[in-house]
């Protein structure tokens, strides 16, 4: 029994962390806010570190890894508030690998020459749908389509996190775009990967908000003492750490279960999304409160992480959706929906 | 006990409702913290004023209706129920005016109150300073005597000044006696933001709009006529105003009843049972807040004072407001992260998050409750 | 508009408060724990102050008052943890007044010569059923019976609050015991009076726990400072006060509505039970925490109030039951049950 | 990552389950804090010991199985799953024994460990004192040297000593150097509660039973043989033991998984949808606690230490335990206020309420988390 990443996994994660510390600063995130798309020159660099091809099979120039490594890296993406559609491209890559391995997209994604957007049954919003090179669209009837932005009518939507370029998608399926049918099971798994990925990012966001606020609380002096010496501030931040430390193994276990397609995988993922979401929610609330007015401005960086946390708390099924799924499984009071409804 | 309204009060309600129904803009105005929205909101204030609805509790001579507390509550309920625009003149009419009524000279009142009520002059608060935080006794901005011109020269820096970006006049404390410690030696000034030496730096809030600003004063001349109350008596005067900010005026029950009812409608349109209890909670809390306010009004009408009870009030409404809006965003599901236009839930959420911070953080309010109401020994 | 008791009501309430401070000390409550019944010589004395006959019509020697005065007095009963079945007798008196005014019980109760127990549809537990002089039993079909303990098979149950002498009641209705039929509406109103009365007592219990703990926090010195100067202790107790101060007007309004049989009365009562119950729950939790180990003993008086609070939080419909009722009314997602199910 | 158990571990689980299934008493034993229940629980300990299940992680020579951490987790899961009685020897085997293993002499270990494991001698903690509160450095009970008899004479007062009413031996700190301040000059003693000069005053807990006691010592002789570790070195030794109390040992995941599963059954028997989310929450929290513990075990097996992380652990389990039991009582509806016999939910609730208080209140734990893990400046 061992609940921890391997040394290799940690090494990879640390490499990505270092890369992001350098190449995804808060100035970079702000640049994504201002741009039409968050996909930048960094995408190719991420590919060079291996990040865009984590779940791309080795025969298509990827790393051939799975949900454990993806989750580890997405924690780092959360910590840096990386704005690129890394998770979406990974979800798409999983579907490509299963249903259209030879369409060429896998190698393109692994090389950072392409980024993907994805729209699963129940979802109405697609991240970066306009700037993505390819859209993977799963329909409720199990049909899987691969399209380009040109095949769709896209309507931009404004997320609270302006670095998330969201669109509603009006898409008319055709025989040309259809790549597979009866893919319900794979689509459900893809949705679980999305939820796990959101959970992982939420962990990283929580850690970043906490670290930032601890630093502030040490340095900010009021009435002659650092505010971090007040018991109320201490308890606000201790409560965040408790939430985070209990969410971490839950997310780790979900990655483990999903990577192995265990029978409990869907429930484990739902629990991960709930715990990581709650940790991030509490972090946003308490870190804002500790900062006070300065945290309430867009000049301070805190808001970049809070807003990403709120957005990802909602995306890929919010707490209510995932709680319903767990309740159905535990209490049997309703049939468990195979996929989170968004 | 009597929870009925009198026939006269009901008539007042009908009149207010009729006017609001006929006049509230069908579409939401742009944010009052944009240039365009600021002007649109001023125009709305003018319209209210012309119909004598801008400052219902004020004396008739300044545009009011001399409404009592109950009528004021009724008006506020109707105002929010109608979905009327936010009050761009709020800092003036609710926060500053009570002080001006109590401590201002007749000349000052005549000069400033009508323009304030009509939305002609928007007032800006000058409480916080970068180093003072929420501790107003730490004010460092200073005023030096200018005998020659008959006034004072003000220098220093104010921050978190709501409406500061577009507003016209600032009220706040400046240190007139540099020798005095803490809350002594402070004087209450009214400052023309168009005066020479004033620099305003807008600060974008969580919603991206410059809802507050940093105000730099560099040798800004303020005539004696714009000193409010006595020199070096600013602290005492300020206390009265922060009493208002934390107390009844800023947050009428109608302010929460309206979104709570909208939340019920939102739930009914697309029920998510997992959120049922949170929706019920939001509605109940808004209702409890209304009853609590009724209790306060009853006390005030019997000659009582609010005092530290306003801290209880402030903690409750500010946390309720956050939860109410967070619940709405959850009800919206995937769309919860989106600007939802006329729904305004996301804007409302971001706005609500300021509640537990401003006008004394909720941590400080809880200390106040413990020390001043429960009588516990002072926290260190 | 006036949300406050009248001067007369306050005068009456203060008289009862003074009486209880003298005649219902914690030693007296402990005596009730040890005895077979909590009905003691104090019952007659309570009658002399008018307390047992608050809702008994004047023509039967009562005060002829209503729910407002009853609630005001029950707040004081809660503050003192008065163990007698005051609320039960008042609920019974209401039913007597409507359906059996001439059976003689009203005057007996007003004089303190009799105490009543009550069992409404859905309830399984009756307070003091063995020692009561009369049991008023409402059945789900609307039949109302008046019985004596001898008509029933009673099985004692142990409440966490040992001063509450609880029994399950095995009762076989007969023509002799039947006093009225089709009383559903009155029974629902009686249940609401019970819930209101429990809410009022919960307010008093909250106040008592808070006051006791504030005193302790002022006096108890650790590491050279009174524990009440710690921000965590201050915030624990401030939170209780906030809950209490917001529950008070809610209970007051419920009394007002029920006294006038307003259409909103049932909903208002449910809200009162929820708010007062939450205030008392938080008070128990936080006051115990502030006391620490000493509060965890039966030697300290705190437990007398905590246990009463837990019991009354459960009795007359707990928060879940009352929340369901409010949700049905507000959201219309289910028909509003006429009476809380227990 | 590897969340499977090895074949050997699974065999260990099967063996434990089989024995427990065959041997756990069908009816709940009376409370261990009554005379009768105390003896019944001791008899159960004896039975466990005879089958070598009393102290699975101990060396074989003292009755253990030299089980590793994972096996210990498995045993605990099975133990609680089987609904086996509470451990009356808990203070000894979990709290004191690690210290005795680390700091005791071979003679002390041989003398005390087997009797402790067999339930023959029940150990009682002597940490708190009336004036010291949770601050053990404030210990005032003192030990004076008795050269003549070769030992020490102990005087003072200990309080909140769990199992103190019926237990046999006490471990705790006494001040051997009256000049020394705070945590210096303290020595770790083992005291025979039958010795002359010892008076035990039982204190009834919330559940009415004397689960803890006040222990008065008046010139009680303790021979040198019963000093644990060096004279004046008690603080260092004590730290090791409180580490255990707050850490892994006292609260195995099985302790919460079992009631969480019972809660699910309770809900299914009579579903109250209003409590659904609380039931799910309780189960999830118990599951999260299990995973957290897996993480801790992984860290320990890699040679890491727990340290201040145990504060995170303690806050979580103690608050989860209260919520879990409060949820059960709500599910019981009207019967939630009743002693429910074998269900034991009310007893469990009252027991759980002690969690946030003992072994360092959760307020102190949160300070520790803030200061020792997050590195915030010391609270004043």
């Amino acid at each position: 029994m061992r609940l921890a990443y391997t040394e290799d996994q940690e090494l990879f994660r640390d490499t990505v962390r270092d890369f992001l510390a350098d190449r995804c600063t808060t100035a970079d995130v702000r640049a994504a806010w201002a741009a039409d798309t968050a996909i930048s020159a960094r995408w190719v660099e991420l590919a060079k570190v291996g990040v865009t091809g984590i779940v791309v099979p080795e025969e298509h120039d990827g790393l051939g890894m799975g949900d454990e490594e993806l989750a580890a890296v997405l924690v780092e993406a959360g910590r840096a508030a990386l704005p690129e559609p890394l998770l979406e491209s990974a979800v798409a890559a999983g579907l490509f690998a299963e249903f259209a391995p030879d369409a060429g997209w896998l190698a393109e994604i692994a090389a950072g020459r392409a980024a993907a957007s994805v729209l699963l049954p129940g979802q109405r919003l697609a991240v970066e749908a306009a700037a993505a090179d390819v859209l993977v669209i799963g329909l409720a009837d199990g049909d899987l389509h691969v399209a380009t932005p040109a095949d769709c009518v896209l309507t931009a939507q404004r997320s609270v996190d302006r670095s998330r370029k969201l669109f509603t998608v009006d898409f008319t399926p055709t025989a040309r775009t259809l790549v597979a049918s009866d893919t319900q099971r794979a689509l459900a798994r893809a949705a679980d990967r999305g939820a796990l990925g959101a959970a992982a990012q939420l962990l990283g966001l929580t850690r970043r908000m906490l670290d930032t606020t601890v630093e502030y609380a040490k340095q900010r002096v009021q009435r002659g003492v650092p505010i971090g010496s007040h018991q109320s501030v201490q308890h606000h931040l201790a409560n965040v750490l408790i939430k985070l430390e209990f969410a971490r193994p839950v997310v780790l276990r979900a990655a483990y279960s999903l990577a192995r397609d265990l029978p409990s995988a869907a429930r484990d993922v739902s629990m991960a999304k709930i715990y990581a979401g709650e940790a991030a929610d509490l972090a946003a609330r308490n870190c804002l409160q500790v900062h006070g007015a300065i945290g309430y401005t867009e000049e301070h960086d805190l808001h970049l992480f809070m807003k990403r946390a709120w957005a990802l708390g909602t995306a890929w099924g919010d707490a209510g959706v995932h709680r319903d799924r767990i309740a159905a499984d535990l209490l049997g009071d309703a049939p468990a929906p195979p996929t989170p409804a968004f | 006990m009597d929870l009925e309204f009198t026939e006269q009060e009901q008539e007042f309600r009908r009149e207010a409702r009729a006017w609001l129904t006929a006049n509230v803009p069908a579409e939401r105005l742009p944010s009052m913290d944009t240039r365009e929205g600021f002007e649109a909101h001023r125009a709305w204030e003018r319209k209210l004023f012309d119909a004598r609805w801008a400052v219902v509790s004020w004396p008739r001579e300044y545009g009011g209706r001399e409404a009592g507390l109950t009528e004021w509550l009724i008006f506020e309920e109707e105002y929010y129920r109608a979905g009327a625009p936010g009050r761009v003149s709020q800092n003036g009419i609710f926060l500053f005016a009570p002080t001006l009524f109590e401590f201002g000279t007749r000349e000052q009142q005549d000069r400033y109150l009508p323009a304030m009520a009509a939305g002609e002059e928007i007032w800006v608060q000058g409480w916080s300073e970068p180093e003072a935080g929420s501790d107003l006794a730490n004010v460092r901005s200073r005023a030096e005597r200018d005998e020659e011109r008959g006034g004072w020269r003000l220098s220093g820096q104010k921050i978190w000044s709501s409406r500061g970006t577009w507003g016209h006049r600032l009220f706040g404390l400046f240190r007139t006696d540099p020798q005095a410690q803490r809350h002594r030696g402070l004087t209450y000034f009214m400052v023309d933001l168009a005066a020479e030496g004033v620099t305003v730096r807008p600060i974008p809030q969580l919603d991206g709009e410059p809802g507050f600003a940093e105000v730099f004063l560099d040798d800004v001349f303020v005539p004696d006529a714009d000193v409010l109350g006595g020199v070096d008596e600013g602290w005492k005067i300020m206390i009265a105003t922060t009493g208002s900010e934390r107390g009844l005026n800023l947050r009428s029950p109608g302010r929460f009843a309206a979104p709570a009812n909208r939340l019920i409608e939102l739930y009914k349109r697309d029920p998510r049972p997992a959120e049922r209890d949170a929706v019920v909670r939001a509605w109940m809390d808004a209702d409890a807040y209304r009853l609590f306010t009724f209790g306060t009004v009853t006390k005030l009408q019997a000659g009582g004072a609010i005092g530290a009870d306003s801290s209880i009030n402030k903690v409750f409404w500010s946390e309720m407001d956050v939860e109410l809006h967070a619940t709405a965003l959850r009800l919206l599901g995937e769309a919860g992260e989106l600007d939802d236009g006329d729904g305004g839930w996301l804007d409302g959420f971001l706005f609500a998050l300021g509640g537990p911070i401003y006008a004394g953080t909720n941590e400080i309010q809880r200390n106040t409750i413990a020390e001043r109401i429960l009588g516990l020994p002072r926290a260190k």
Side-chain angles (χ1 to χ4, degrees), chain A, chain B:
Chain A
M1 197 278 300
R2 189 168 181 285
L3 186 71
Y5 287 121
T6 63
E7 272 185 41
D8 281 353
Q9 288 171 331
E10 288 187 354
L11 199 66
F12 179 43
R13 179 199 63 192
D14 293 348
T15 306
V16 177
R17 184 187 296 184
D18 292 343
F19 171 83
L20 292 172
D22 183 39
R23 288 292 290 118
C24 186
T25 64
T26 53
D28 293 317
V29 178
R30 287 175 186 275
W33 273 54
D36 286 337
T37 171
I39 306 172
S40 70
R42 192 172 38 234
W43 190 244
V44 179
E45 298 177 49
L46 283 164
K48 286 186 186 142
V49 193
V51 165
T52 64
I54 293 174
V55 298
V56 171
E58 287 175 271
E59 61 265 35
H60 296 284
D61 309 334
L63 297 182
M65 295 174 169
D67 290 293
E68 287 185 19
E69 293 79 6
L70 181 65
V73 164
L74 285 167
V75 171
E76 301 310 316
R79 188 194 306 267
L82 179 76
E84 270 89 354
L86 187 56
L87 173 59
E88 289 72 17
S89 294
V91 170
L95 291 167
F96 279 130
E98 188 167 354
F99 299 107
D102 301 319
W105 289 111
L106 286 167
E108 292 295 298
I109 290 172
R113 285 187 301 266
S117 183
V118 69
L119 197 69
L120 299 182
Q123 280 181 321
R124 283 193 333 108
L125 297 170
V127 175
E128 293 286 359
D133 301 279
V134 60
L135 271 83
V136 177
I137 301 175
L139 302 182
D141 62 8
D143 282 0
L144 181 71
H145 296 265
V146 174
T148 64
D151 296 323
C152 311
V153 179
L154 302 175
T155 310
Q157 303 290 333
R158 233 156 68 119
S159 168
V160 63
D161 173 3
R162 303 275 195 269
S163 70
R164 280 169 62 81
K165 313 299 178 180
L166 294 179
F167 298 84
T168 48
V169 178
D170 190 356
F171 167 68
T172 310
T174 65
R176 175 178 59 81
T177 57
L178 182 71
V179 295
S181 292
D182 301 319
T183 66
Q184 284 92 340
R185 224 187 141 271
L187 291 174
R189 202 197 175 288
D192 281 334
R193 172 170 280 177
L196 170 67
Q201 290 176 78
L202 286 161
L203 283 190
L205 287 158
T206 302
R207 187 78 241 183
R208 179 66 171 266
M209 288 188 273
L210 181 59
D211 289 346
T212 301
T213 310
V214 165
E215 274 317 299
Y216 181 77
K218 283 183 194 173
Q219 283 159 17
R220 172 71 172 164
V221 172
Q222 274 191 337
R223 307 190 195 204
V225 298
I227 61 171
S229 67
H230 294 303
Q231 221 182 9
S232 62
V233 169
Q234 295 201 339
H235 289 196
H236 276 332
L237 298 179
N239 287 338
V240 174
L241 185 66
I242 293 167
K243 279 274 189 196
L244 174 62
E245 290 299 323
F246 275 86
R248 274 201 313 126
V250 171
V251 174
L252 216 52
R253 189 263 307 264
Y256 173 89
S257 301
L258 192 61
R260 285 159 188 77
D261 279 326
L262 298 186
S264 66
R267 189 179 76 193
D268 294 345
V269 166
S270 281
M271 194 168 144
K273 184 70 177 13
I274 292 170
Y275 275 63
E278 287 178 355
D281 266 354
L282 189 74
R285 194 76 62 89
N286 287 6
C287 292
L288 173 59
Q289 191 66 20
V290 169
H291 273 87
I294 187 74
Y296 196 75
T297 68
E298 283 200 342
E299 295 183 347
H300 194 283
D301 286 337
L302 181 64
H303 84 103
L304 299 172
F305 304 98
M306 293 199 294
K307 289 173 181 172
R308 182 70 59 81
W310 292 326
L312 288 178
T314 292
W316 299 103
D318 65 12
V321 161
H322 286 288
R323 218 160 46 222
D324 284 350
R325 211 157 69 135
I326 297 173
D329 187 61
L330 284 181
L331 306 173
D333 61 358
T339 169
F342 299 98
Chain B
M1 251 185 300
D2 175 13
L3 302 183
E4 304 289 308
F5 295 105
T6 64
E7 179 48 43
Q8 192 185 343
E9 287 162 349
Q10 291 180 50
E11 174 53 33
F12 177 84
R13 184 189 291 277
R14 281 190 293 270
E15 191 186 343
R17 184 175 296 189
W19 188 87
L20 288 162
T21 304
N23 289 281
V24 165
E27 291 193 12
R28 270 178 88 195
L29 304 184
S31 161
M32 70 172 77
D33 296 322
T34 60
R35 175 88 248 174
E36 178 200 2
F38 184 76
E39 293 309 331
H41 279 79
R42 281 180 72 205
W44 165 250
E45 290 291 335
R46 178 81 224 184
K47 195 164 182 178
L48 279 171
F49 180 76
D50 288 344
R52 214 173 265 282
W53 291 114
V55 284
V56 293
S57 58
W58 286 19
R60 301 203 145 265
E61 58 179 311
Y62 292 128
R65 290 170 181 247
E66 288 166 13
L69 274 171
T70 308
E71 283 175 328
W72 178 76
L73 286 178
I74 289 170
F75 175 73
E76 291 282 311
E77 280 187 359
E78 293 302 320
Y79 190 86
Y80 285 104
R81 184 179 174 283
R87 303 296 302 267
V88 70
S89 59
Q90 170 174 291
N91 285 317
I93 61 174
F94 290 146
L95 202 55
F96 176 49
T99 310
L100 192 51
F101 275 117
E102 193 171 343
F103 297 95
T105 63
R106 179 74 202 199
E107 288 66 32
Q108 289 174 329
Q109 292 168 356
D110 288 348
R111 161 74 189 83
Y112 291 125
L113 288 169
M116 180 192 298
E120 281 164 24
E121 291 182 344
I122 301 300
W123 287 77
V124 172
Q125 59 177 341
W127 290 144
S128 298
E129 298 189 0
E131 292 309 312
S134 56
D135 183 12
L136 295 186
N138 254 339
V139 159
R140 296 184 185 184
S141 294
R142 62 193 191 283
E144 286 172 11
R145 187 66 198 152
D146 184 336
E147 279 300 345
E148 203 171 324
R149 297 175 65 188
W152 300 78
R153 283 178 291 109
L154 275 50
S155 293
Q157 192 177 347
K158 299 287 181 182
I159 197 167
W160 317 129
S161 298
S162 296
R163 306 291 91 70
T165 303
W166 320 107
H168 306 93
R169 294 187 172 273
L170 175 141
F171 57 94
L173 297 187
F174 292 78
R175 197 164 288 282
T176 33
D177 179 353
Q179 311 300 327
Q181 294 292 308
R182 309 257 322 145
H183 57 273
R184 283 179 290 272
L186 298 169
T187 299
Y188 202 120
F189 283 94
M190 298 178 281
V191 184
D192 183 351
L193 290 176
E196 200 178 334
V198 173
T199 311
V200 172
R201 188 181 73 85
I203 306 177
Q205 299 184 142
L206 268 196
D207 65 359
E209 306 300 348
F212 39 41
E214 202 163 1
V215 180
F216 300 87
L217 300 101
D218 179 15
D219 232 22
V220 177
F221 179 75
V222 175
D224 283 335
D226 284 342
V227 170
L228 187 63
V231 170
D232 293 348
E233 292 185 1
W235 180 264
K236 179 184 76 183
I237 298 168
M238 184 275 301
I239 289 291
T241 302
T242 47
S244 303
E245 184 180 12
R246 288 175 194 166
L248 194 62
N249 281 335
L250 257 192
R251 294 288 172 219
S252 69
R255 161 83 178 70
F256 306 106
N261 285 321
R262 287 203 301 129
L263 190 67
I264 299 271
E265 294 314 312
L266 187 66
Y267 180 91
K268 283 180 169 173
R269 217 149 56 221
D270 183 12
R272 298 187 69 184
E275 300 301 336
R276 187 201 74 162
D277 283 356
V279 171
V280 170
R281 163 68 45 184
W283 185 89
M284 291 196 301
D285 275 354
D287 193 42
Y289 185 76
R290 182 168 184 259
L291 294 168
F292 182 88
T293 308
F294 282 4
T296 305
V297 165
T298 302
K299 204 165 158 189
L300 289 171
Q301 283 174 336
I306 306 186
D309 287 3
S310 63
S311 292
I312 294 176
N313 189 10
K314 198 256 165 167
V315 171
F316 188 87
W317 71 247
S318 60
E319 297 184 354
M320 154 176 76
D321 202 22
V322 174
E323 292 309 324
L324 192 158
H325 286 89
T327 301
L329 295 184
R330 290 198 304 273
L331 280 177
L332 292 172
E334 191 188 14
E337 67 170 296
L338 299 183
D339 269 346
D340 60 336
D342 275 357
W345 289 112
L346 180 61
D347 275 352
F349 174 68
L350 296 178
F351 183 79
L353 285 172
I357 295 172
Y358 75 79
T361 66
N362 284 10
E363 288 73 27
I364 289 176
Q365 303 291 355
R366 287 187 163 94
N367 289 1
T368 302
I369 292 166
E371 293 165 14
R372 290 187 47 202
I373 306 180
L374 296 177
L376 289 171
R378 234 183 117 69
K380 273 163 317 236

